[in-house]
Amino acid sequence: MKLLPIICFLSMLSGCYGSRLLGIFAFSAKSHFVMFERMMKALAEKGHQVDVISTFPLKKPYPNYKDLIVIPTKRQFVNNMTFHEVITSMRSSVTSVVSNLGGNVVCENLADPAIQKLVRDPPKNPPYDLVIIEIFGAHCYAAIGHILKVPVVGVSSSVLYPWSNDMIANPENLAFAPNNLLSYPQHMSFWQRTHNLLHTLYNKYYFNYATREQNEIMRKYLGPGLPDIRELENSVAMILTNSHMSMNGIKDRTPALIEVGGLHVQEEGVELPASLEKWMNESTSGFLYFSFGSMVKIESFPVKYLEIFYNSLGKIAPVRVLMKIPNPSELPPGLPKNIHILPWIPQVKVLKHRNIKAFITHGGLMGTQEAIHYGVPLIGIPLFADQFINIDTYVRNNIAVRLDIETLTEEKMDEALHAILHDSKYRDTMQKISAKFLDRPLSATDTAVYWIEYIIRHGADALRSPAMDLTWWQVQLLDVCAFLLVVALLSVYLLIVAVRFVLKLANGHRKVSNKKKIS
């Protein structure tokens, strides 16, 4: 903390306010936390005092960044998820997983004695100015901002899920904006638009119903007088989301939703082993990078899939392959000579290297955004969650080839490798999209920092949409439509009555005239 005044002085021109911020990221997913850690470090670099509650403490001290509370995890997911678990457990309903495993279960961490102490006796010299929470499933942590009486900012490591839009009254035009649980393009057919509407409504209802349990959890651990979980969600001042229009399309958006896609992409503290750098430099015919992210163990895949990888990747020599394998001893024998395996790989350094040809990936958002940042085309083999949607989006944009693990054959793998290595459209298109992805008035990191400081300066209601004060039928103008319909029907009715009256008068005059003629 002694460095805080010095850093503030050096950062004065860039807007250092020296606020105290509390970041709460209780969900134990490394791929999510990569983004949050980078954002909190960026705020610390600006001179803010940053306290973090998470399951991933820093390995090295960082100025102004303090791991205030480290939440213990029951299960270590990093490099520890097998093929069987992915196929049997992770392919259930995304909404069910998010609302329960990523929501209600995560809220039980409010029972942690250190969190209890923080809530009962928060720091006062200086006090907190802002709380930052993850927008995913455990929105119960917004209660801590309510107790501390400070604004709450949300951060989503993915495109917003359907239920999150209502938190800030973000408009959803479901006619051209499919929700992020569907793989539809923005130009949808009638049936796709119908499905998009019903699917969105159902998943919102399911999430809201399943997470009502968080009311009991919050009140059990933080006090009986807390507002309803939906009310706490609606108190969120702003949401930073890991998306960008270059890949996620043009959509209606309230000012309280800030796109910061790719915020996590940075090289600070990423060390490249000399042996790996030498291997990449010597790969003069190019190399492919093959990784299924921070959790999935490729070596746990059934032998039939590993044999496909071996056979197909061996054929592309002299092109080399760099493969992330946490436990090499679990691989079957016969690894081709052009494949180099490592248990840990500095991914951004690899994707930035001049000799890389393509990235074989499961389609995780963080890794694929890094590939887009550096202009590297993809072969996508989605396994669970949003990976299918991500890869489908990249395929439509001609920057990826998709393979499905259930139907994977050596022939299909060969075709995908040939296409990504020899069809120039993938690299050319990726270079163009990369340029659009990076073309912004501020970097993703600077954008996030600016808007967080904006909320600190101007308060929780600075970006609040007036739609938050209306009911859903008022937002959709259903009351106005109903009024206009009644007016229209009444006008038609009165017109009919008037016409009938005129006709009746006309008939009466004819009868009188006829009687006079007869007489």
Side-chain angles (χ1 to χ4, degrees):
M1 294 306 166
K2 294 179 180 179
L3 292 174
L4 181 59
I6 298 174
I7 294 176
C8 275
F9 176 75
L10 295 175
S11 307
M12 195 69 72
L13 295 178
S14 61
C16 172
Y17 298 94
S19 299
R20 189 169 191 178
L21 314 178
L22 176 63
I24 308 173
F25 313 109
F27 182 51
S28 180
K30 183 65 174 178
S31 58
H32 291 217
F33 189 71
V34 166
M35 175 186 179
F36 309 146
E37 180 185 310
R38 177 60 207 141
M39 181 186 67
M40 300 308 284
K41 282 184 174 180
L43 289 163
E45 290 165 9
K46 289 288 186 178
H48 299 292
Q49 184 176 338
V50 171
D51 294 342
V52 176
I53 301 174
S54 77
T55 59
F56 301 101
L58 297 184
K59 295 179 180 179
K60 297 179 181 179
Y62 201 87
N64 296 335
Y65 186 116
K66 180 182 180 181
D67 286 304
L68 185 69
I69 299 172
V70 178
I71 299 173
T73 57
K74 296 180 181 179
R75 163 71 191 276
Q76 176 59 257
F77 287 101
V78 177
N79 291 333
N80 200 29
M81 183 169 287
T82 66
F83 176 86
H84 177 74
E85 288 176 305
V86 169
I87 298 302
T88 59
S89 303
M90 299 300 290
R91 289 198 171 190
S92 58
S93 165
V94 173
T95 307
S96 176
V97 171
V98 173
S99 58
N100 291 291
L101 294 180
N104 300 339
V105 172
V106 176
C107 287
E108 289 290 345
N109 288 315
L110 289 170
D112 189 291
I115 295 179
Q116 295 283 303
K117 183 178 184 301
L118 174 68
V119 172
R120 290 194 302 268
D121 185 24
K124 298 179 178 61
N125 187 28
Y128 288 116
D129 298 291
L130 186 85
V131 169
I132 303 174
I133 67 169
E134 178 177 9
I135 299 302
F136 189 57
H139 302 153
C140 54
Y141 290 94
I144 295 179
H146 174 81
I147 294 170
L148 298 178
K149 295 181 172 57
V150 297
V152 176
V153 166
V155 187
S156 173
S157 63
S158 67
V159 179
L160 277 195
Y161 285 97
W163 50 85
S164 302
N165 288 290
D166 293 342
M167 295 170 64
I168 52 173
N170 189 56
E172 298 172 280
N173 194 324
L174 298 175
F176 68 84
N179 74 57
N180 77 321
L181 298 174
L182 295 174
S183 296
Y184 293 151
Q186 286 202 306
H187 297 287
M188 293 179 282
S189 68
F190 171 79
W191 294 114
Q192 287 173 332
R193 285 185 283 117
T194 302
H195 184 217
N196 187 34
L197 171 63
L198 297 177
H199 188 272
T200 300
L201 294 175
Y202 169 77
N203 281 282
K204 283 185 178 184
Y205 171 80
Y206 183 96
F207 179 85
N208 290 337
Y209 177 81
T211 55
R212 291 185 307 171
E213 182 181 326
Q214 294 182 23
N215 284 320
E216 297 177 13
I217 298 171
M218 289 187 305
R219 291 162 184 165
K220 177 181 178 182
Y221 299 123
L222 300 181
L226 287 171
D228 183 83
I229 184 64
R230 303 283 87 89
E231 186 177 342
L232 288 171
E233 287 176 340
N234 292 341
S235 70
V236 170
M238 173 183 73
I239 297 177
L240 305 170
T241 179
N242 190 20
S243 62
H244 190 259
M245 62 182 178
S246 61
M247 284 310 307
N248 304 108
I250 306 298
K251 300 177 182 178
D252 296 338
R253 193 170 79 236
T254 177
L257 181 65
I258 311 295
E259 289 194 313
V260 291
L263 180 150
H264 69 287
V265 185
Q266 54 85 35
E267 299 177 53
E268 178 197 354
V270 180
E271 299 178 0
L272 183 64
S275 59
L276 177 56
E277 184 173 17
K278 182 176 182 291
W279 183 89
M280 293 191 294
N281 290 338
E282 291 175 349
S283 301
T284 52
S285 296
F287 69 91
L288 303 182
Y289 173 49
F290 189 167
S291 171
F292 280 164
S294 62
M295 296 192 296
V296 179
K297 298 168 58 180
I298 296 175
E299 62 270 32
S300 71
F301 278 46
V303 173
K304 67 175 182 178
Y305 294 121
L306 295 176
E307 287 180 347
I308 291 172
F309 296 150
Y310 280 17
N311 294 338
S312 290
L313 294 173
K315 294 175 188 175
I316 65 174
V319 175
R320 291 172 156 187
V321 180
L322 177 61
M323 203 169 184
K324 177 181 173 290
I325 302 293
N327 297 296
S329 61
E330 296 181 16
L331 282 175
L335 188 73
K337 294 180 179 179
N338 65 325
I339 297 181
H340 181 54
I341 59 174
L342 289 172
W344 174 85
I345 294 172
Q347 187 159 288
V348 291
K349 294 284 190 180
V350 171
L351 291 171
K352 186 181 179 181
H353 198 275
R354 63 183 181 276
N355 288 336
I356 191 167
K357 295 286 188 180
F359 179 20
I360 304 175
T361 172
H362 62 326
L365 184 59
M366 299 299 178
T368 54
Q369 283 182 337
E370 290 169 2
I372 292 169
H373 183 103
Y374 293 111
V376 181
L378 308 163
I379 292 178
I381 309 176
L383 301 175
F384 60 90
D386 63 345
Q387 296 161 12
F388 299 90
I389 297 162
N390 296 339
I391 294 300
D392 285 345
T393 299
Y394 304 148
V395 169
R396 283 195 296 270
N397 282 277
N398 288 322
I399 60 174
V401 178
R402 173 173 167 167
L403 294 170
D404 293 303
I405 195 67
E406 293 89 348
T407 59
L408 185 65
T409 63
E410 188 174 330
E411 291 73 22
K412 291 180 179 179
M413 188 76 186
D414 290 344
E415 291 173 4
L417 290 168
H418 184 272
I420 211 70
L421 289 172
H422 301 291
D423 190 338
S424 61
K425 77 174 181 180
Y426 295 104
R427 180 164 289 274
D428 292 344
T429 307
M430 180 61 98
Q431 294 291 335
K432 293 176 182 177
I433 287 180
S434 178
K436 289 174 64 178
F437 185 70
L438 298 175
D439 190 357
R440 316 180 193 191
L442 290 173
S443 69
T445 301
D446 289 340
T447 300
V449 170
Y450 172 83
W451 285 107
I452 288 173
E453 292 179 341
Y454 185 91
I455 294 298
I456 294 172
R457 291 194 299 269
H458 303 295
D461 292 335
L463 299 176
R464 180 181 172 85
S465 170
M468 296 292 293
D469 301 319
L470 301 175
T471 61
W472 67 269
W473 62 83
Q474 289 174 321
V475 172
Q476 300 297 327
L477 291 177
L478 294 183
D479 52 345
V480 175
C481 290
F483 170 74
L484 294 176
L485 179 62
V486 169
V487 170
L489 292 175
L490 183 60
S491 299
V492 171
Y493 172 76
L494 293 175
L495 179 62
I496 292 172
V497 170
V499 169
R500 284 179 175 176
F501 179 74
V502 171
L503 291 175
K504 187 175 181 180
L505 287 177
N507 288 334
H509 284 300
R510 286 198 197 98
K511 289 179 180 180
V512 171
S513 299
N514 290 335
K515 287 181 179 179
K516 287 181 178 181
K517 289 178 180 179
I518 293 172
S519 61

